[in-house]
Amino acid sequence: MESSERRLLAVVRSLFPGVRHTTLTTHPGTASLRRYAAGSFPSPGEILALPFDWEAVSPFDRSVLEAAASVPAGKTSSYGAVAAASGHPGAARAAGGALGRNPWPVLIPCHRVIGADGRLTGYGKGVAAKKRLLDFESNRS
DNA sequence: AGAATGACGGACC
DNA sequence: AGGTCCGCCATTC
């Protein structure tokens, strides 16, 4: 439908402030989001290749976000594991903070990072949304 | 510069 | 199982 398309483009514009109107529909972020919605989840490599403005986040946050991006769809990881993978073993709690500040939700799949005990401890848009995303990915990937 | 703040995790009741 | 307590770590005010 038409309105969802407009919404998609609006989301991409908010995620990538630099994109021009003229290149919006061909922007890689748009393609990735479109594929995600269609159930064909972008690979970690594809995600990391997107033109994110990494200068907008701290070095630590960046390392954590990149580690989170390497968690494939259909799978989950824990804050502690992501922290370790980012090069900061023991910083599980701080990793939670970094993911909570994720400027690019969905694309950077912070929703795939859950508690070590399997609980979905939290999410910016609400734990319910986190669960919906995980269910969507698990029933589709 | 020091204190407060968590989307943690593990240890114990 | 459910609840509390406490050490950790980087960011934020």
Side-chain angles (χ1 to χ4, degrees):
Chain A
M1 47 207 92
E2 180 61 30
S3 79
S4 71
E5 179 69 10
R6 308 246 337 182
R7 241 180 308 146
L8 169 64
L9 299 181
V11 170
V12 174
R13 282 191 61 74
S14 68
L15 257 38
F16 304 93
V19 305
R20 312 272 297 294
H21 295 74
T22 54
T23 63
L24 189 53
T25 57
T26 56
H27 191 276
T30 306
S32 292
L33 230 32
R34 203 190 300 283
R35 290 186 45 212
Y36 181 92
S40 177
F41 312 114
S43 68
E46 180 175 345
I47 296 301
L48 291 174
L50 294 175
F52 294 116
D53 177 19
W54 291 113
E55 312 208 1
V57 303
S58 75
F60 172 76
D61 283 12
R62 174 176 183 167
S63 65
V64 170
L65 292 172
E66 292 182 327
S70 74
V71 179
K75 293 198 168 187
T76 63
S77 186
S78 70
Y79 294 93
V82 167
S86 77
H88 297 261
R93 197 167 189 172
L99 294 174
R101 291 186 290 273
N102 178 13
W104 313 289
V106 181
L107 245 31
I108 297 286
C110 57
H111 56 279
R112 295 182 195 140
V113 185
I114 66 181
D117 57 2
R119 297 182 47 246
L120 327 188
T121 61
Y123 193 62
K125 297 300 181 185
V127 179
K130 187 172 187 174
K131 177 163 177 44
R132 291 210 331 275
L133 287 171
L134 291 177
D135 286 343
F136 176 52
E137 298 180 359
S138 123
N139 296 321
R140 186 64 221 247
S141 69

